[in-house]
Amino acid sequence: MAFETLRESPLWDRIAHLERWCATMPGKPKIPVDMGSWGDFRLRGNRHGDATDCWDLPRLLDAVPAGSPVAFRLDMAEAGILVADIEPGCDPSVVDALMGAPWLYGEASLSGRGLHLVFDAGDLAGHLDRDAERVRSANGDHEYLQRHWVAFTGRAVDPSARGTDVSALVADYAACPQHLSGRRRDPTADDLARFRARAVRTHEGDALSLSEWLMRLSERRGEAPDGDRSAWEYRRMRWLLHRAAESREAPSCSRGEMLAVCADVARRTFPDAELREIKKGRRRGMEWYDYLAETAAQGIL
């Protein structure tokens, strides 16, 4: 039977009946499936932030192949839980502290090297930032998911490893400086203004995280070579779009958001971008890098 430990955990009765569950895309387990397309020749990604085109978990497990990961659209206010997403390189002292807290259910992440620990949100009463989609540590080695897609693999942590010290959970959550939502504790939220007007819809935390990640990747790339500059920009834009499509933010960002983020990153990282936009002018009513992103996205987004 799939997800035996989850079925036996206190978490099952809290979330199994919620119609917020999806299969994951074959070969791309971080992408949830639009269950309205289940059974069609071509599956669609689920880009909704609610129960649209989702099933409950018992129905889903009856339909998906045994052992397949599934996705849950977490809404902390509805489910009363939050998920600690712990990366493989997380400080062992943090991992030990969270493992010693009273989690409801734990399992290995999709990579098999990280951890997902599910906590009762009531354990953080008085400390929660209820507006945040995610609360991230300073170095990004772990974060608390509050309104986000969460993958469930069924590779459960032994429940006997569960601790009882809630103080470690409270202290770690309160120490996390980055609250990813419509606002943050650091000033980089202003960066959203660069593309918010062009976005089809706004998942501000996800789009901002995607932008920051692409900026870091772009800083490692070389300068434009001599020769055909337009061809170089097209290849670099395709590279940005591929990275965006592969990112952990992709399921929660619309196509329009990802195009806007990639165009904005190009403006900030491509050599002489401002002069290039003046030279190239408007194409189909769009600025050059918006047009380039739209053109280069064929076959990627």
Side-chain angles (χ1 to χ4, degrees), residues 270-285:
F270 285 20
D272 304 319
E274 184 176 354
L275 296 177
R276 287 285 292 169
E277 287 215 304
I278 294 173
K279 177 180 178 180
K280 287 290 186 177
R282 298 181 68 83
R283 307 290 181 92
R284 298 183 192 169

Side-chain angles (χ1 to χ4, degrees), residues 20-26 28-35 37-38 43-48 52-54 69-73 110 148-151 247-253:
R20 287 183 170 270
W21 294 89
C22 296
T24 56
M25 199 69 70
K28 298 182 178 179
K30 289 190 176 182
I31 301 180
V33 169
D34 178 337
M35 297 308 293
S37 70
W38 189 253
L43 298 177
R44 299 187 300 272
N46 192 322
R47 300 185 180 277
H48 302 292
T52 305
D53 295 316
C54 294
V70 296
F72 176 63
R73 180 64 197 190
L110 287 169
H148 207 271
W149 285 105
V150 181
S247 73
R248 64 191 300 173
E249 318 302 337
S252 298
C253 290

Side-chain angles (χ1 to χ4, degrees), residues 129 131-140 143 176-192 196 203-213 216 249:
D129 180 348
D131 293 330
E133 294 178 355
R134 292 172 293 160
V135 179
R136 180 176 292 170
S137 64
N139 59 7
E143 62 184 357
C176 289
Q178 299 188 40
H179 288 216
L180 306 181
S181 65
R183 62 180 179 81
R184 290 168 59 112
R185 291 183 184 174
D186 58 36
T188 55
D190 293 339
D191 292 345
L192 287 170
R196 183 181 292 135
H203 291 274
E204 294 180 350
D206 292 320
L208 180 56
S209 298
L210 177 60
S211 176
E212 292 176 338
W213 183 63
R216 289 196 298 271
E249 318 302 337

Side-chain angles (χ1 to χ4, degrees), residues 104 165 198 200:
L104 301 172
D165 182 11
R198 293 191 296 274
V200 174

Side-chain angles (χ1 to χ4, degrees), residues 111-227:
S111 69
R113 295 178 292 124
L115 281 175
H116 285 171
L117 296 178
V118 183
F119 291 97
D120 187 326
D123 288 339
L124 289 165
H127 301 274
L128 284 168
D129 180 348
R130 298 186 181 277
D131 293 330
E133 294 178 355
R134 292 172 293 160
V135 179
R136 180 176 292 170
S137 64
N139 59 7
D141 63 2
H142 69 289
E143 62 184 357
Y144 295 93
L145 308 179
Q146 298 182 182
R147 295 197 310 277
H148 207 271
W149 285 105
V150 181
F152 280 77
T153 63
R155 300 193 292 266
V157 176
D158 184 351
S160 66
R162 182 186 302 120
T164 59
D165 182 11
V166 73
S167 64
L169 170 66
V170 172
D172 184 75
Y173 181 94
C176 289
Q178 299 188 40
H179 288 216
L180 306 181
S181 65
R183 62 180 179 81
R184 290 168 59 112
R185 291 183 184 174
D186 58 36
T188 55
D190 293 339
D191 292 345
L192 287 170
R194 302 174 67 93
F195 56 82
R196 183 181 292 135
R198 293 191 296 274
V200 174
R201 59 190 174 87
T202 302
H203 291 274
E204 294 180 350
D206 292 320
L208 180 56
S209 298
L210 177 60
S211 176
E212 292 176 338
W213 183 63
L214 291 178
M215 285 291 292
R216 289 196 298 271
L217 292 181
S218 296
E219 289 169 357
R220 307 172 192 168
R221 306 287 290 187
E223 295 294 319
D226 295 332

